[in-house]
């Protein structure tokens, strides 16, 4: 039991690592929570800090999710790896190391998928970039990729109910955290990316 609690705690703590804050403050003396959308996520790191730091934050956030799914196996905890992934996404959204004000769980959720079903990760990346190319909205593309991933699981992984449940939970997290973006998309005030 102790090892299960330890695994889940570790997954939450890994998810809590505020990549955008670390890179922004260490290398640019910028707190991205005071700029752009004020979100502690990869998109706002791109927007506020630039392409290279944006890529670094994206990779770190993805890695957090992937690392979390590996923890139960590494520690020998008898829990589903995706459960640790959910804890990492919660850590990313409500990080203990950043006053519980974190990101929108997109990159970290993608990392969870990468750690468990790499082909689904490739699928969601392709869907994300097609949606981004067409819409120019990162937020909308993130939500479309989440819904597409859930649909994919219903079609190709109907026998893997933990995967379906976890992708459904992560999709709900992602939509919930994008409430303001959804309003802005409807008001046509959501910023579009200019570089694709
Ligand atoms: O990664 C989150 C993204 O979908 C939206 O971020 O900063 O535009 O609200 P942001």
């Amino acid at each position: 039991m102790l090892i299960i609690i330890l695994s889940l705690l570790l997954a939450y703590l890994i998810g809590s690592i505020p990549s955008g804050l670390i890179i922004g403050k260490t290398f640019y003396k910028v707190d991205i929570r005071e700029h752009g959308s004020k979100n502690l996520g990869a998109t706002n790191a791109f927007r506020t800090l630039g392409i290279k730091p944006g890529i670094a934050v994206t990779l770190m956030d993805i890695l957090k999710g992937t690392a979390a799914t590996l923890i139960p196996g590494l520690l020998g905890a008898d829990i589903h790896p995706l459960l640790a992934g959910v804890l990492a996404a919660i850590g990313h959204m409500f990080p203990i190391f950043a006053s519980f004000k974190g990101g929108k769980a997109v990159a970290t959720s993608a990392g969870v998928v990468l750690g468990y079903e790499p082909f689904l990760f490739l699928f969601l990346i392709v869907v994300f970039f097609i949606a981004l190319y067409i819409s120019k909205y990162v937020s909308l593309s993130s939500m479309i990729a989440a819904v597409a991933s859930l649909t994919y699981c219903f079609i190709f992984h109907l026998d893997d109910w933990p995967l379906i449940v976890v992708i459904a939970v992560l999709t709900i997290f992602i939509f919930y955290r994008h409430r303001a973006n959804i309003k802005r998309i409807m008001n046509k005030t959501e910023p579009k990316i200019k570089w694709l």
Side-chain angles (χ1 to χ4, degrees), residues 99-171:
S99 321
F100 299 99
K101 290 187 183 119
K104 300 184 180 177
V106 176
T108 302
S109 297
V112 172
V113 171
L114 176 63
Y116 184 74
E117 210 320 29
F119 195 78
L120 175 55
F121 175 80
L122 284 181
F123 170 79
L124 74 84
I125 292 294
V126 169
V127 170
F128 172 82
F129 278 106
I130 291 173
L132 189 60
Y133 183 74
I134 294 169
S135 74
K136 313 287 187 226
Y137 291 126
V138 178
S139 53
L140 180 65
S141 307
S142 302
M143 291 184 276
I144 288 173
V147 172
S149 300
L150 189 56
T151 310
Y152 176 101
C153 292
F154 273 114
I155 296 172
F156 297 108
H157 290 289
L158 202 51
D159 53 335
D160 190 349
W161 67 264
L163 179 65
I164 292 181
V165 170
V166 165
I167 298 297
V169 167
L170 294 176
T171 301

Side-chain angles (χ1 to χ4, degrees), residues 1-11 67-85 87:
M1 188 62 186
L2 193 66
I3 206 77
I4 290 177
I5 295 170
L6 191 67
S7 295
L8 295 176
L9 185 65
L10 209 54
T69 62
L70 303 178
I71 289 172
L74 290 173
L75 296 188
D78 191 17
I79 48 165
H80 199 287
L82 287 173
L83 191 56
L87 264 290

Side-chain angles (χ1 to χ4, degrees), residues 37-39 41-44 47 104 106-107 138-140 142 178 181 184 190-191:
S37 67
K38 301 191 165 50
N39 183 50
T43 307
N44 206 32
R47 186 182 288 127
K104 300 184 180 177
V106 176
V138 178
S139 53
L140 180 65
S142 302
H178 281 80
N181 302 81
R184 287 197 294 268
E190 176 79 341

Side-chain angles (χ1 to χ4, degrees), residues 3-69:
I3 206 77
I4 290 177
I5 295 170
L6 191 67
S7 295
L8 295 176
L9 185 65
L10 209 54
Y12 168 76
L13 292 176
I14 287 175
S16 282
I17 296 169
S19 320
L21 204 55
I22 293 170
I23 290 186
K25 281 198 164 179
T26 310
F27 299 106
Y28 300 87
K29 306 277 176 267
V30 169
D31 183 342
I32 67 169
R33 296 170 305 178
E34 292 168 2
H35 301 273
S37 67
K38 301 191 165 50
N39 183 50
L40 187 51
T43 307
N44 206 32
F46 271 104
R47 186 182 288 127
T48 306
L49 305 173
I51 290 185
K52 279 187 194 163
I55 291 172
V57 173
T58 306
L59 294 179
M60 278 177 76
D61 284 350
I62 289 175
L63 194 63
K64 293 191 306 185
T66 308
T69 62

